[in-house]
Amino acid sequence: MNRIDKLLASMTLDEKIGQLNMATAGQAVTGPIVGAPTTEAIRDGKVGSLLNLFGSEATARYQKLAVEQTRLAIPLLFCADVLHGHRTTFPIPLAEAGLFDPETWERTARAAAAEAAAEGIALTFAPMLDIARDPRWGRIAEGPGEDPRLGARFATAKVRGFQGADLAAPESIAATAKHFCAGGAAAAGREYAAVDVSERTLHEVYMPPFRAAVEAGCAAIMPAFNSVAGVPMTSNLRLLRDYLRRELRFDGAIISDYDAIAELLIHGVAADRAEAATLALKAGVDIDMVGGVYLAHLPEALARGLVDMDDIDAAVRRVLTLKQKLGLFDDPYRRAASAAHQMHPEDELSADVARRSITLLANHDNILPLAADLRRIAVIGPLADAPAEMLGPWSLAGDPNRCVTILRGLRAALPLCEIAYEPGVSSKGEEEGDIAAACALCAQAEVVILCVGETADMSGEAASRAAPGLPGRQRELAEAVLATGVPVVALISSGRPLMVSWLRDKARAMVATWFLGDFAGHAVADVLTGRFNPTGRLAVTWPREVGQIPIYHAEKPSSRPANPAEPFSSKYIDLPVEPLFPFGHGLSYTRVTLRNLRASRHEFSRGDSLEFEIDAVNESAIATEETIFLFAHDLVASTARPLLELKTWAKVTLAARQTKTVALTLSAESLRCLDDDFRPVLEPGEFDILVGLNADRRTLLTTRLRALPHGARES
Ligand code: BGC
């Protein structure tokens, strides 16, 4: 018998159920869980994991209770949301995704894991892998954007980063892929709303990042709060048991979202808590986050014959296995380093990623980079000197006092410039501001840096916006500043694309500065001054107006494609169909053109490798880094295929005036589509391969290939 079998055999029902119960640190400090103080509950073996408790001393104190005072000495699992950094804050995932750089994604997760682990955390609720095509949904900020292929690569990198090569290592933490699945498709972008997407869309769009996470060895998965086609994810037998457990063979822990088992009653699929516990357990949910439903009602469910001991044992086994893999049985304190542990060893990485995440959206007349002889700059707007906002959502342990604001960054970078500052209005518009004072400063400046956008709490969970434009009186401020006639560089801090096409038209430059973390201000200054040539690309399509949402590059064909000259075509009568900026968009201070796309073969069969080459020409006098995207379009298939499917990308650095040949490789298998049973098949017929700098179809270079019928070989 191995350790876990032995343990399981010696556990009472209560002790088993205790392992399935996650309590919050709030309760741990202040109050009762189901009648008993948590410290007592821990001693009684009623708590298997603790949410949001970190710090080496605090975790050690609670761990001691479990290890020294419970009958079986099973260590606690400390869990927290480490989404984009722990003490050191990195850019939000949506911005970091725009690096298109798996190595960096992995490094930031690794750095965050090391800091979190040093404070006793053994599991993070990350990566968040919800494909999101609706900027009204605030959680778009937390994930990798709109594309399943990008999401899958992001998933792999993040899981590897958090977990490292050895989950038991003191600097590794378990990753939780969340929220499985399709939360990004919440009706009208409204948080927690029901989702109703086709089975095909689930398989093609929402599941691939989770599949990639499982293949990378992700330790845990969290079902989403939402229902899909009427079935809450927390009790979704088909997707949790049949798909995750049986098809993908996921044998890690499934952890409910916060109170989500209890919420099955509100979904209207369980009549009482014993039923809710039953539905979740039967679907494969092992840990009940905070709701206490398993703790209080699984015994009753067992007595009523709704669940049997095997169901409970299977869940307990998975929890114990996770603890074992984390090395907790060997040394329950291995992660909680001494209080003297140095935090923030990765400042340089944070500053670098922040710089690289910035997306230069528009740059009329090349107003950026700022001229070296500028002497008077006005920095205007409520986001200019707002340290806490730079941290963005999900900053559990970030420190606003460390944050370099945009104003500070610019002042440090431009010591010879007179930089005057006036917020003009408050960020949400609830307080009176002084727009006139802002305009007066602008009148004396050679250029205005206008810092507008959202506060950190306007994106993330429960931050859906029906009108995601500039909040409060910020537009009024922007219009007044623009009316002074002084050239304006607009910086947009936000967790999502904001609907600001008017600003793109009127400002001389527009830059997405997202939420960049600790070094936001230095990063912005580096880009504005040209010390750093911007590299960020959009991981999400940027709409012109809310009415275009959802808008994304992988749309399926319409029988009457949009044509401005054709009234009965798939278009709007009041707006172009094109977004403000396409997926993959992002300018630099360099002009790069692509030429001469060629394919190594024009006919292929299963198992073949398809190689493509393209020449990238840097026409400018400074070095640059480009991201080159390769999309495919399956021209005739058994089901209509997206007009563009991202298959891969390459990053290339080019010296001044340099031309480089860039190679991109695909396997024939990557051109498969899903058949009626959602199994991948390579269908014979023609494919277009489209290569370019973003997903604007008008700009892509194309070559055509043919997949031969199975068994046929090219001559
Ligand atoms: C969120 C999860 C998060 C959990 C614990 C929930 O409200 O949906 O993403 O991991 O809280 O903080």
Side-chain angles (χ1 to χ4, degrees):
M1 252 203 211
N2 67 24
R3 178 190 247 160
I4 289 177
D5 288 331
K6 270 193 219 143
L7 207 46
L8 207 50
S10 65
M11 291 169 90
T12 64
L13 175 64
D14 280 354
E15 284 165 337
K16 287 179 183 174
I17 294 175
Q19 287 304 308
L20 310 184
N21 183 41
M22 183 185 296
T24 75
Q27 287 170 318
V29 177
T30 59
I33 301 180
V34 207
T38 296
T39 43
E40 252 168 66
I42 293 173
R43 282 194 201 103
D44 291 349
K46 289 183 175 167
V47 178
S49 42
L50 267 183
L51 167 69
N52 284 351
L53 185 81
F54 52 87
S56 51
E57 274 169 35
T59 53
R61 192 154 22 96
Y62 280 91
Q63 195 61 292
K64 219 164 147 53
L65 290 177
V67 173
E68 293 180 12
Q69 300 193 33
T70 67
R71 193 178 75 89
L72 295 170
I74 301 173
L76 289 169
L77 178 70
F78 297 103
C79 312
D81 293 273
V82 178
L83 262 289
H84 50 107
H86 180 59
R87 294 279 171 193
T88 306
T89 307
F90 296 106
I92 54 169
L94 183 63
E96 201 198 16
L99 263 59
F100 288 89
D101 181 1
E103 207 184 302
T104 302
W105 298 332
E106 186 174 331
R107 282 183 68 198
T108 55
R110 195 83 208 116
E115 281 188 358
E119 297 207 84
I121 294 170
L123 177 143
T124 173
F125 304 118
M128 191 279 210
L129 300 175
D130 288 312
I131 298 304
R133 297 170 164 187
D134 190 335
R136 290 172 297 187
W137 193 53
R139 302 200 86 164
I140 195 171
E142 293 175 45
E146 76 180 40
D147 185 82
R149 177 84 195 118
L150 167 59
R153 288 185 71 173
F154 189 82
T156 309
K158 288 295 178 194
V159 170
R160 283 194 191 143
F162 286 127
Q163 300 193 165
D166 175 13
L167 195 51
E171 62 282 359
S172 291
I173 60 177
T176 308
K178 72 182 187 184
H179 309 83
F180 183 76
C181 70
R190 192 154 45 86
E191 187 71 291
Y192 315 125
V195 168
D196 214 338
V197 292
S198 71
E199 186 92 9
R200 177 163 292 279
T201 299
L202 285 179
H203 282 270
E204 288 181 354
V205 178
Y206 293 103
M207 286 169 170
F210 291 94
R211 175 188 278 271
V214 171
E215 284 167 1
C218 190
I221 291 183
M222 181 189 291
F225 278 126
N226 53 274
S227 61
V228 173
V231 185
M233 283 308 308
T234 306
S235 62
N236 202 310
L237 275 180
R238 274 185 3 91
L239 294 177
L240 299 185
R241 185 195 62 189
D242 298 349
Y243 179 73
L244 277 187
R245 296 271 191 228
R246 294 190 180 155
E247 194 174 328
L248 297 191
R249 300 186 184 283
F250 174 68
D251 61 359
I254 297 187
I255 305 177
S256 88
D257 205 341
Y258 199 101
D259 204 29
I261 300 181
E263 289 175 13
L264 289 174
L265 275 82
I266 310 174
H267 273 292
V269 297
D272 57 33
R273 288 180 164 237
E275 264 186 43
T278 303
L279 288 175
L281 190 74
K282 289 275 185 195
V285 177
D286 304 311
I287 296 180
D288 175 1
M289 189 195 291
V290 168
V293 179
Y294 279 177
L295 193 65
H297 299 279
L298 270 184
E300 179 194 341
L302 192 65
R304 278 164 59 185
L306 299 173
V307 299
D308 50 42
M309 195 57 98
D310 284 352
D311 299 319
I312 294 175
D313 283 351
V316 176
R317 179 182 295 281
R318 284 189 288 257
V319 174
L320 297 178
T321 305
L322 174 58
K323 292 184 176 184
Q324 186 178 43
K325 284 188 181 160
L326 283 161
L328 291 171
F329 286 114
D330 298 329
D331 177 3
Y333 305 99
R334 66 173 47 192
R335 286 182 180 72
S338 76
H341 177 84
Q342 282 297 310
M343 282 292 157
H344 310 302
E346 296 286 4
D347 279 358
E348 225 170 274
L349 178 64
S350 175
D352 181 55
V353 180
R355 213 171 14 234
R356 294 167 61 207
S357 298
I358 293 172
T359 324
L360 177 60
L361 296 170
N363 191 16
H364 306 305
D365 315 319
N366 294 331
I367 185 168
L368 291 177
L370 296 171
D373 59 355
L374 275 181
R375 287 297 167 264
R376 288 186 320 280
I377 296 180
V379 175
I380 305 294
L383 274 307
D385 198 26
E389 311 307 341
M390 302 295 107
L391 294 174
W394 274 134
S395 173
L396 215 57
D399 178 3
N401 295 319
R402 276 172 45 86
C403 276
V404 180
T405 66
I406 297 171
L407 180 65
R408 232 182 91 195
L410 284 171
R411 284 193 167 143
L414 298 167
L416 301 180
C417 246
E418 196 183 302
I419 299 185
Y421 160 63
E422 170 63 52
V425 296
S426 64
S427 47
K428 291 180 183 159
E430 66 283 353
E431 294 149 33
E432 276 299 292
D434 197 340
I435 294 180
C439 292
L441 281 193
C442 294
Q444 292 159 28
E446 293 157 278
V447 69
V448 180
I449 310 295
L450 180 65
C451 304
V452 287
E454 301 181 317
T455 50
D457 63 355
M458 295 184 81
S459 66
E461 185 174 355
S464 292
R465 297 185 64 200
L470 293 185
R473 293 175 63 213
Q474 291 191 43
R475 178 163 182 171
E476 203 183 314
L477 169 71
E479 301 271 18
V481 165
L482 288 160
T484 63
V486 181
V488 171
V489 172
L491 308 184
I492 317 270
S493 296
S494 67
R496 48 156 73 89
L498 295 184
M499 306 307 121
V500 286
S501 49
W502 57 272
L503 187 55
R504 194 273 313 254
D505 296 342
K506 293 182 188 168
R508 295 281 289 280
M510 193 156 99
V511 186
T513 56
W514 311 106
F515 295 116
L516 294 172
D518 294 339
F519 297 97
H522 291 323
V524 167
D526 283 349
V527 164
L528 297 194
T529 57
R531 285 177 201 167
F532 184 79
N533 190 8
T535 58
R537 301 290 179 263
L538 291 177
V540 65
T541 302
W542 194 299
R544 288 167 197 266
E545 295 292 344
V546 170
Q548 292 182 315
I549 297 171
I551 182 169
Y552 48 92
H553 70 277
E555 67 172 315
K556 298 227 166 112
S558 151
S559 62
R560 296 178 175 190
N563 176 355
E566 174 52 67
F568 292 94
S569 75
S570 179
K571 63 182 177 62
Y572 299 108
I573 56 172
D574 55 356
L575 210 68
V577 287
E578 289 80 21
L580 191 61
F581 305 111
F583 174 85
H585 173 76
L587 304 173
S588 67
Y589 297 139
T590 326
R591 191 181 143 84
V592 169
T593 50
L594 299 182
R595 288 184 198 148
N596 193 17
L597 171 63
R598 49 221 189 253
S600 61
R601 55 170 76 227
H602 286 277
E603 293 189 331
F604 66 97
S605 304
R606 291 200 320 213
D608 283 341
S609 166
L610 315 174
E611 280 118 41
F612 304 91
E613 284 185 348
I614 195 160
D615 300 329
V617 185
N618 180 1
E619 295 177 4
S620 311
I622 53 169
T624 194
E625 177 188 295
E626 260 307 339
T627 306
I628 298 172
F629 298 94
L630 184 148
F631 303 94
H633 176 211
D634 186 347
L635 292 168
V636 181
S638 47
T639 53
R641 305 303 306 147
L643 295 170
L644 291 180
E645 279 184 86
L646 180 66
K647 293 298 176 188
T648 190
W649 63 85
K651 290 180 83 78
V652 57
T653 49
L654 295 165
R657 311 257 176 235
Q658 190 184 14
T659 297
K660 256 192 196 170
T661 297
V662 181
L664 295 130
T665 305
L666 292 185
S667 64
E669 278 54 49
S670 65
L671 294 177
R672 292 178 302 182
C673 62
L674 302 180
D675 68 12
D676 286 347
D677 298 320
F678 309 111
R679 310 249 168 247
V681 282
L682 182 62
E683 295 188 358
E686 288 182 323
F687 292 81
D688 275 345
I689 299 295
L690 307 100
V691 179
L693 299 177
N694 60 54
D696 181 346
R697 287 204 301 277
R698 297 165 300 191
T699 65
L700 299 172
L701 300 180
T702 307
T703 184
R704 188 161 291 183
L705 311 184
R706 171 184 293 278
L708 298 170
H710 185 45
R713 283 305 309 180
E714 65 194 291
S715 49

